[in-house]
Structure formats: structure tokens, C-alpha cells
Amino acid sequence: MRLLPPLFKAKSAVPMLTVLTDAPFKTTRYPTLTAAPLPKSQTEALADELNALYQSVMESLGSDDARYIQRVYGTVVYSEVISRTLLAVAGRLSSKRSKLGVWLLGTSLLSFSKILNNMELGHNVMHGQYDWMQHPHLNSQKFDWDIVCPAPLWQHSHNYLHHTFTNIVGRDHDVGYHLIRVTDEQPWTPSDRYNLFKTMILALGFEWAVAFHDIQISVDEYADSKQINEIMQSKSRALFGKIARQVGKDYIAFPAVAALAFGRGSAMTTLSGNITANIARNLWTWAVIFCGHFTEQAHMYTHLDANESKGDWYVRQILGSSNIQGNKWFHMLTGNLSHQIEHHIFPDMPARHYAKIAPAVQAICAKYNLAYNTGHFGQQFMQVLGRIRHFSKPSSDEWHAYTQSLSNNNRSIAKSTSNSNSVSEDSSQAAINDAQAKRGFRRFLPQVVRQAMFYA
């Protein structure tokens, strides 16, 4: 039985649990690692085994995979057409029971279409999983999905930043989405008391959070670049253009067409169905993503190892991800992100193969004493809510640090007031600019939205 090595941080606010026999580190709730948990010799051996598994699958890709993704695309298209027809027809029915029944059927089918478009089709195609087909539309360069976030912005924040710096606090901006505290490495603030409420808002409008996520990241990432204005202008205009198209399609164009064809009642059933389907898609996507990243045993990292090898990267992906158990249809509706571990180690492998290789990946993890985190949806979901609730409350040390910072700020304010005549012109101008930016309706908007509007 091994002892806890120095690479593992156990905060006073996080209770210690049992020790795993022959495990490379102890198991705690909400673990944080400061270095690679395995020696280089083991991670290199692990990488060789995973690389061989990856190569065997990629060499087997062929017509079956091409037909599969084309059928998924066809299912998305036809289910959307049928569902929108049902929503329009519902408005013409005189019986309230019939109208409700047809509306529920149309809304459910549209929710299914949007979820399938978002998860199994859009997410996987834009990861480059089917680029080998050289299809004119189903490729990572041209495909765009049915949400308000443009594909290039998502690919920068997700494909590049999230999958490269997975669970490294400060580098992976998906850790809490700049909104929710999910680890000790994020300093506690009073707003964290509302973690569960903020999570609910995030879940309901998840596509909007994803849309503005890259803007928030890029403002900091390109802060020192001479081309920041050009870069941010391009991103912001693309974002608002996509928002206009999506809002125009779901909330103006389709209800208007239904009204012209069948009357005002059809416009209302179409509009309400579109709103409900988008919310259902947002809630489902949020739940799957959070269950794959923020369960109790999802490991966080304090920094990126300068000497990180491919094997070390594999280990970080495995320890930072969680799987969800379910049947074939469940996996399809999650975009096979229910196999989050397999997705994170092989993001460009067609996701339909994850279920097939999962036993082999789990066996490799067991061989190297790495936790393979999996569980049923209800179990993983409750762990996510437990984590969010846990980090909404400060430890005694964190509360003391917060009150001390308040005291220091008060002293700084008093000092700056006594020296107010020495305020620089630049600081004064910055204050004026900030005040102007917050005039009118903009003062009610989140900062990231104001930033996007400024650059656009």
C-alpha cells in the first residue's frame, strides 16, 4: 500500500476517503493533482498500448462508417421536416386534446432532431471524425450546427483549448465556464453562494453560454496582440451573424411561414414548439457535458507539466473525464459523449466506435492502476450537483482570506482617496470609457456581451 505522494493536494475543506491498494495516489473527493501521477516509463508504455488501439480502429474505417453518419444526417433532416409540419398542423386543430397531443409529438420530435444535430452529428463532424471521407458537407471545415455558436469559435475554445489543456485550472476555460466554482483552485467569492442558481441559468441557456465562451476567452488570449481588434471584430461579427440567423429561423421565419400557410394559431404552436425544443436541447447538452467533466472523481490539475508526454496527456484525459452507462440509443443521443473517457483520449475517432473499445480502455486503465470513472446517469448527475453545491460554500481558510481581502481593499480605497489628485489622465479616461460603455440598455448586459458588441 503506497502513501500519498507530494504531487497530490488534499485541501482541508476536502475530506479524505479510503486508500486504494496499489494505487499511485489516494482517493479523495474532488481531487487535484500538481504533477503527473505515473512515472514516465509507465506513461510511455500506456501510450504505446492506446496508440495501437487507436491505429487498429482508424485503419478499419470504411463504407459502414460513411453510411452511418449519412444516415444520422438524413435522420436529422427528415425528423426536423416532420416535426415542423406537425407543429404547424397543431395550430389548425379545433380539439384542445388533439392540439396538445400533436404539439407534444412535434415538439418531442424537434427536440430529438436538435439533440441529434448537436451531439452525434455536429459535435463529432466538427471534431474532424469524418474528414477522411472527403465529403463536401460532412467535414470539420464546412459543417455548422443548429445552435447560435459559429463552428470556428467553438472549435477554438473546445477542440483546441479544452482538449489540449483538459482540466488544467486557468488554461481549460471549460472548468466552470467562468461562472461556476467546481474546484478548490478557483478562489471563493460571494457570488459562488449562488452556484446552483447560476447552474440552472447556464443549463437553460447553454447554447448562449457556449456562443459567448470563445469571446470571453479570446479577449484575454489576444490581449497583448497587435491584431486584437481585427481578431475580435471577426469573431464578434461571426457570432452576431449566427445569432441573427438562428433567432430569425426559429423565432421569426418558421412562425411567419406557419402563419401564412395555416393561420395565427399555427404561428403560436410553431413558436412555442421551437422555444421548448431549444430549451430541451440545452438542458440535455448541459447535463451530458457536466456529467462527463465534473463528477466527484474528475481530477483537476494545477498547471501544465512542461515535460508532458503523450502518455502523460492520456493519463490527464482519463482522470479528468467520466463515463455514463446506458443503452445504444442513450449513447447516440449523447453523441457518444457518454464515453467521455474514450472521446478525450481519441477525439478524432468516429464516436460510434467508443462503445466497442471501452472494455479495452478500461482494462488498460486497470493495468496501470488508473481510475476509470463510470456510472449510471442518475449517479453521475447527483455527483455533479453535489460538487457544485460543495464549492458554493467557503472553507474556514477561504472565508478568512476573503474577509482579509475586504479589509485590505478598504485600506487601499482610503489611501487612494487621500491621493486622489495624483490620478493619471489614462486612468481617468479609462473610467470615462467604462462609464460610457455601461450607458443605456448595455448596463444590463453581461460584460462578455458588451465586449462582443464593442468589437462588432
Side-chain angles (χ1 to χ4, degrees):
M1 186 176 292
R2 300 177 183 174
L3 298 178
L4 179 69
L7 62 87
F8 194 94
K9 294 179 67 178
K11 303 271 184 155
S12 59
V14 184
M16 296 295 294
L17 297 182
T18 56
V19 180
L20 298 179
T21 304
D22 294 326
F25 45 83
K26 283 185 178 179
T27 301
T28 71
R29 292 179 70 196
Y30 320 124
T32 301
L33 294 178
T34 60
L38 295 180
K40 292 292 184 183
S41 58
Q42 290 191 30
T43 59
E44 289 177 2
L46 176 142
D48 290 340
E49 294 191 49
L50 289 177
N51 288 339
L53 180 62
Y54 171 81
Q55 199 62 33
S56 66
V57 172
M58 299 304 284
E59 289 176 353
S60 70
L61 300 181
S63 57
D64 287 346
D65 298 279
R67 279 195 299 269
Y68 172 79
I69 198 61
Q70 289 170 341
R71 286 172 181 170
V72 170
Y73 177 67
T75 302
V76 168
V77 172
Y78 289 122
S79 59
E80 181 180 6
V81 171
I82 295 171
S83 64
R84 294 192 185 280
T85 302
L86 289 172
L87 288 174
V89 169
R92 293 282 295 174
L93 301 177
S94 57
S95 168
K96 291 184 178 180
R97 179 176 295 183
S98 298
K99 177 181 291 188
L100 178 61
V102 173
W103 183 88
L104 286 173
L105 179 60
T107 302
S108 299
L109 191 58
L110 184 59
S111 301
F112 166 79
S113 177
K114 285 178 174 287
I115 287 171
L116 198 62
N117 176 289
N118 195 190
M119 307 296 279
E120 182 71 349
L121 182 65
H123 173 273
N124 294 335
V125 167
M126 292 193 301
H127 256 297
Q129 294 180 6
Y130 294 93
D131 283 0
W132 55 272
M133 291 170 50
Q134 297 184 341
H135 192 278
H137 177 59
L138 299 176
N139 65 78
S140 60
Q141 301 301 313
K142 294 184 178 180
F143 190 85
D144 203 358
W145 49 6
D146 183 40
I147 67 172
V148 294
C149 181
L153 272 65
W154 177 81
Q155 287 170 321
H156 173 250
S157 63
H158 182 84
N159 288 12
Y160 169 56
L161 290 174
H162 173 59
H163 277 273
T164 302
F165 307 110
T166 308
N167 286 24
I168 299 175
V169 180
R171 302 293 297 275
D172 180 5
H173 299 273
D174 284 15
V175 177
Y177 289 85
H178 292 183
L179 184 67
I180 300 166
R181 184 173 184 248
V182 293
T183 174
D184 281 306
E185 300 307 311
Q186 295 169 310
W188 183 86
T189 64
S191 68
D192 293 324
R193 290 175 294 188
Y194 310 107
N195 250 4
L196 289 172
F197 175 75
K198 291 189 292 183
T199 299
M200 181 184 71
I201 299 301
L202 175 66
L204 289 170
F206 194 62
E207 66 169 317
W208 295 90
V210 171
F212 284 94
H213 191 44
D214 189 61
I215 299 295
Q216 192 170 20
I217 294 169
S218 298
V219 167
D220 294 331
E221 183 180 358
Y222 299 106
D224 298 327
S225 172
K226 294 180 180 179
Q227 286 79 40
I228 183 171
N229 287 332
E230 291 81 359
I231 294 171
M232 294 308 303
Q233 184 182 76
S234 175
K235 286 176 176 284
S236 298
R237 288 183 175 179
L239 172 59
F240 286 118
K242 185 69 185 295
I243 289 174
R245 291 193 297 274
Q246 288 297 122
V247 170
K249 173 176 70 73
D250 277 345
Y251 305 140
I252 299 175
F254 279 116
V257 170
L260 291 173
F262 299 105
R264 197 169 84 177
S266 294
M268 297 307 297
T269 54
T270 297
L271 177 62
S272 59
N274 289 348
I275 293 172
T276 305
N278 281 333
I279 292 174
R281 185 265 320 283
N282 289 345
L283 290 172
W284 177 251
T285 305
W286 167 83
V288 171
I289 296 300
F290 269 55
C291 285
H293 294 87
F294 303 124
T295 56
E296 192 172 278
Q297 285 302 303
H299 290 61
M300 299 295 168
Y301 284 71
T302 59
H303 66 282
L304 177 65
D305 184 356
N307 298 315
E308 184 178 69
S309 65
K310 184 63 178 290
D312 296 329
W313 182 84
Y314 277 140
V315 171
R316 180 157 55 80
Q317 306 306 312
I318 292 168
L319 295 180
S321 306
S322 306
N323 282 9
I324 313 170
Q325 298 169 5
N327 58 31
K328 181 178 179 180
W329 276 100
F330 176 82
H331 293 315
M332 180 182 292
L333 287 176
T334 67
N336 281 284
L337 293 181
S338 47
H339 296 100
Q340 192 70 234
I341 295 173
E342 287 72 26
H343 173 62
H344 264 271
I345 58 178
F346 304 133
D348 61 342
M349 176 187 290
R352 67 190 293 260
H353 291 277
Y354 292 156
K356 180 176 66 177
I357 67 170
V361 173
Q362 188 169 8
I364 292 172
C365 290
K367 179 179 179 180
Y368 293 95
N369 294 317
L370 293 173
Y372 185 90
N373 189 351
T374 185
H376 292 289
F377 178 79
Q379 171 190 338
Q380 304 294 60
F381 186 73
M382 292 307 296
Q383 287 189 13
V384 168
L385 295 182
R387 183 174 197 136
I388 292 170
R389 182 177 180 273
H390 174 84
F391 286 107
S392 67
K393 299 176 290 185
S395 66
S396 57
D397 291 340
E398 288 166 339
W399 179 253
H400 176 73
Y402 170 68
T403 55
Q404 186 65 38
S405 67
L406 284 181
S407 177
N408 293 338
N409 286 340
N410 290 335
R411 285 196 294 268
S412 298
I413 291 172
K415 183 178 179 180
S416 63
T417 301
S418 64
N419 297 318
S420 58
N421 292 333
S422 62
V423 176
S424 67
E425 292 183 3
D426 290 341
S427 298
S428 299
Q429 186 60 46
I432 293 171
N433 291 340
D434 185 61
Q436 290 175 341
K438 294 182 180 179
R439 286 179 180 175
F441 77 95
R442 294 193 182 192
R443 68 180 183 274
F444 300 109
L445 300 176
Q447 181 183 4
V448 63
V449 179
R450 294 199 302 269
Q451 290 172 328
M453 292 176 68
F454 168 77
Y455 284 110

